[in-house]
Amino acid sequence: MKKFKFQLETLLKVTRMKKEDAEVKFAEVSRRLEEQKEQLQLLINEMEQGQRDYENISQEGTRVTIGRLMSYNRFFAWKREQIEIQRGIILQTRGEKQKKLKILMEVMTYLKSIEQLKEKRLREYNEQVMFEEQKFLDELGLQLTMRARREAAS
């Protein structure tokens, strides 16, 4: 009997490559999201450091000039704006991550169905091979029995 050949082997290979590609893209967007979260934390830390600096100046009892007060005010407004922008970027990247995850899950489901089909076809092939072998052995046994009867009758 011929060797087992899965007709959809090429499709299986292509789907595996698509899965690997989807995994890479998902990992990239996950890494980018983590980097953006770190950037947000850095901005928040800078804002908090600015607030501590402002409180230290206020508590020292030194005179705070309007120029210095306006500088801190601009700095805090600028940092708040940066933080909001960064939060928007994180939100956008989370959405992108969800899309990549959905694509990955779809490809994995499709790949699993093809692999299950291959396993089913392999089982069917093995059953057919076993059937053919059993048929051959039965015929061989029948021939040997017939030959033994003829020899016993002679």
Side-chain angles (χ1 to χ4, degrees):
M1 191 164 191
K2 293 189 290 184
K3 182 181 172 193
F4 175 71
K5 183 170 181 352
F6 184 54
Q7 303 244 337
L8 301 174
E9 192 65 40
T10 304
L11 178 63
L12 184 61
K13 287 179 183 176
V14 169
T15 307
R16 283 181 179 146
M17 290 187 322
K18 284 182 180 178
K19 178 189 167 235
E20 290 171 8
D21 184 54
E23 286 173 334
V24 167
K25 289 180 179 176
F26 179 73
E28 286 174 357
V29 75
S30 295
R31 179 190 47 77
R32 201 168 69 236
L33 179 60
E34 289 307 311
E35 289 173 355
Q36 290 170 352
K37 286 179 179 179
E38 289 172 8
Q39 179 65 27
L40 176 63
Q41 190 57 49
L42 182 68
L43 291 171
I44 290 171
N45 291 344
E46 290 173 355
M47 176 81 141
E48 289 172 352
Q49 183 60 45
Q51 288 172 338
R52 283 191 296 272
D53 292 346
Y54 179 74
E55 287 174 12
N56 288 341
I57 290 174
S58 299
Q59 290 175 357
E60 289 175 0
T62 57
R63 231 173 102 208
V64 179
T65 63
I66 290 187
R68 182 176 274 186
L69 191 60
M70 290 182 70
S71 291
Y72 274 106
N73 191 30
R74 281 193 302 270
F75 172 77
F76 292 138
W78 178 63
K79 279 297 166 191
R80 277 192 291 276
E81 184 179 336
Q82 283 185 319
I83 289 170
E84 287 308 310
I85 290 170
Q86 191 63 30
R87 285 183 176 148
I89 291 170
I90 289 172
L91 216 58
Q92 182 181 358
T93 306
R94 279 188 181 140
E96 190 178 334
K97 182 179 176 182
Q98 288 299 322
K99 287 178 186 175
K100 299 294 181 191
L101 178 60
K102 183 180 178 191
I103 291 169
L104 177 60
M105 297 305 291
E106 288 171 355
V107 171
M108 288 176 69
T109 302
Y110 187 62
L111 177 62
K112 186 176 180 179
S113 66
I114 295 171
E115 288 173 341
Q116 287 174 343
L117 181 61
K118 181 180 180 179
E119 289 172 11
K120 180 182 176 190
R121 297 280 164 82
L122 182 59
R123 276 193 309 274
E124 290 171 352
Y125 170 80
N126 288 333
E127 289 171 3
Q128 185 66 30
V129 167
M130 296 282 283
F131 176 76
E132 295 291 328
E133 287 177 3
Q134 188 62 46
K135 185 176 166 183
F136 174 75
L137 292 174
D138 288 347
E139 288 176 12
L140 187 62
L142 183 62
Q143 288 176 4
L144 290 174
T145 304
M146 295 299 281
R147 195 175 295 162
R149 283 186 187 166
R150 275 191 221 133
E151 289 176 7
S154 326

